[in-house]
Amino acid sequence: MQKPLISVLMPVYRTDRAHLHQAIDSILNQTVKDFEFLIMDDCPTDRREDVVLSYNDNRIKYIKNPENLGIAKARNLLIDMAQGDFLAVMDHDDIAYPNRFEKQLAYMQEHLDTGICGSACRRFGDLKKKGIVSHSTNSDEIASGLFFKCMIHHPSAFIRAEVLKKNKIYYSDKYVSSNDRRLYLDIMSVSKLANLPDVLMDYRMHANMTSKQAREKIVAEQKLLRDEMLLSMGLTLDEAQKGILNDYITKGRCRIKDKEILKQVESVLSLLNKANQKSEYFPVDSFEKLCAQYLVKRCLNAAVFGRIGSKDILKKTDLKRGKVPFWLKVLNFIY
């Protein structure tokens, strides 16, 4: 049998049957036809075998796990089974656009130094949260942003298999929701990262999503992953500084109403930047630029929610920043 160009990796776990049909159909309808489709059922007590076997397509390979392995171990088994030069991640309830593989394959074949390529996606489904999700297309910005948040939409990930297998990179089973971000950090150390601006996926939003069912566990995992990154940067923060990092810098929905908190935000961001300049764990210039952007955002937050001026903080910081936004200048003039 001829080796496939692409291996599609899709674990299945208790998904809605109609959603699973839509996911499978979207892969089989790709404009690029040279692929194998590995579907792993990771729930032995609630199989979806009848759904998968209803398709008469020899590209589909169905694997039934005798016991539940968990998402990371299931994905790792699929990586080991994959024969393709490229690995296309697919979730069991999402929809890939017909030209997804065509677009990502063309990019990866042209950019041989890139190990992974994501894309923009459109959120849809039962929840109110809709719209387009996109991230930077610049490798250094994607890498630097990983300290603060996930920068590649995982169901859209298209990975060069050799990068994983040659460097023995796998998903960490230490994590449930952050194993994708941990994977990107490992790939970052050996290759460039990319995102296409094109919307190539529909990402289904529903109440049973991991992000909705296990919020406390996700927050704990994110803190653990940040601790790993701090260790790689050679930086030790005390508990108070970690509190500032977790509650006021990386947390999107925060409200700063105390100027001392804002000063500590600047201090921690400065420490992060200095540690990275020394370790070069993240791209130095883009990481400093991102730290400066976070400082400006938190200064605007403090002005809006705490009526706190930040002109002195912005003047004294050693972070190299761009122009202060107009509205922050106005608020700093008022406060």
Side-chain angles (χ1 to χ4, degrees):
M1 184 177 177
Q2 186 178 358
K3 179 182 175 182
L5 180 60
I6 301 167
S7 295
V8 186
L9 315 182
M10 189 173 79
V12 175
Y13 184 82
R14 291 183 177 176
T15 189
D16 181 275
R17 291 174 181 273
H19 297 169
L20 180 56
H21 271 295
Q22 288 179 315
I24 294 173
D25 288 343
S26 74
I27 295 300
L28 297 181
N29 290 329
Q30 291 293 304
T31 56
V32 173
K33 305 298 183 183
D34 186 2
F35 61 82
E36 62 175 354
F37 192 0
L38 306 182
I39 302 176
M40 177 173 285
D41 192 336
D42 196 35
C43 185
T45 61
D46 186 25
R47 299 188 190 281
R48 293 292 183 262
E49 183 173 2
D50 58 325
V51 174
V52 180
L53 296 183
S54 68
Y55 291 87
N56 183 24
D57 193 312
N58 59 13
R59 293 173 298 180
I60 294 177
K61 298 178 182 177
Y62 182 59
I63 305 101
K64 296 182 289 187
N65 290 338
E67 60 182 3
N68 175 247
L69 299 178
I71 190 62
K73 289 183 179 179
R75 291 195 190 280
N76 288 338
L77 267 181
L78 290 173
I79 290 172
D80 286 337
M81 293 175 183
Q83 298 296 311
D85 294 332
F86 299 95
L87 311 177
V89 175
M90 183 65 189
D91 276 5
H92 59 196
D93 54 3
D94 293 338
I95 300 172
Y97 291 8
N99 63 339
R100 176 195 166 188
F101 293 173
E102 180 182 342
K103 290 273 191 178
Q104 292 181 303
L105 179 64
Y107 183 91
M108 295 291 274
Q109 288 178 329
E110 185 176 344
H111 299 82
L112 301 180
D113 57 353
T114 299
I116 184 170
C117 175
S119 78
C121 69
R122 182 186 72 92
R123 290 181 296 207
F124 79 112
D126 301 333
L127 303 183
K128 292 181 179 179
K129 204 170 186 179
K130 301 288 189 346
I132 304 300
V133 177
S134 62
H135 297 292
S136 172
T137 59
N138 177 274
S139 180
D140 284 355
E141 291 178 359
I142 296 169
S144 295
L146 287 172
F147 182 83
F148 299 94
K149 62 181 182 179
C150 194
M151 293 293 293
I152 296 174
H153 186 63
H154 187 249
S156 75
F158 196 85
I159 306 168
R160 197 178 303 278
E162 182 185 23
V163 168
L164 298 191
K165 295 182 179 183
K166 181 179 178 180
N167 296 286
K168 295 181 171 55
I169 295 174
Y170 288 97
Y171 291 90
S172 171
D173 60 7
K174 184 188 301 183
Y175 302 103
V176 174
S177 67
S178 296
N179 57 59
D180 53 349
R181 196 163 151 204
R182 177 68 261 177
L183 184 84
Y184 306 154
L185 289 165
D186 293 335
I187 295 174
M188 174 191 79
S189 68
V190 296
S191 78
K192 289 189 175 182
L193 315 174
N195 279 311
L196 298 183
D198 313 68
V199 178
L200 300 179
M201 295 282 301
D202 279 348
Y203 177 60
R204 193 182 302 273
M205 307 288 290
H206 54 85
N208 292 324
M209 299 168 65
T210 301
S211 59
K212 303 299 177 185
Q213 293 291 313
R215 187 61 192 165
E216 289 185 8
K217 182 175 179 62
I218 290 171
V219 171
E221 283 191 1
Q222 290 171 344
K223 290 179 180 179
L224 178 61
L225 183 59
R226 278 193 288 273
D227 284 346
E228 288 187 4
M229 288 186 277
L230 291 172
L231 183 63
S232 296
M233 295 166 71
L235 179 61
T236 301
L237 298 179
D238 62 30
E239 290 305 310
Q241 291 168 327
K242 283 186 181 180
I244 293 295
L245 175 62
N246 294 325
D247 296 337
Y248 294 101
I249 296 178
T250 59
K251 187 176 180 179
R253 296 180 180 179
C254 66
R255 296 191 176 189
I256 299 175
K257 299 181 179 181
D258 185 330
K259 187 155 187 174
E260 186 56 36
I261 293 291
L262 186 59
K263 288 180 179 178
Q264 292 176 46
V265 166
E266 188 282 328
S267 175
V268 171
L269 284 168
S270 181
L271 287 172
L272 290 172
N273 179 54
K274 289 175 181 176
N276 190 62
Q277 286 179 334
K278 186 175 181 180
S279 67
E280 298 184 353
Y281 182 63
F282 296 105
V284 172
D285 291 342
S286 62
F287 190 79
E288 179 170 13
K289 180 180 177 182
L290 193 56
C291 286
Q293 289 173 351
Y294 268 81
L295 175 60
V296 170
K297 287 179 182 178
R298 296 308 177 254
C299 286
L300 186 58
N301 178 294
V304 172
F305 294 112
R307 298 186 177 183
I308 297 168
S310 56
K311 191 174 180 179
D312 56 332
I313 295 174
L314 291 171
K315 186 176 181 180
K316 291 178 181 178
T317 186
D318 56 9
L319 292 170
K320 296 177 184 177
R321 55 174 179 77
K323 293 183 179 179
V324 176
F326 172 75
W327 284 112
L328 182 54
K329 286 183 179 179
V330 172
L331 292 170
N332 277 338
F333 178 78
I334 296 172
Y335 301 134

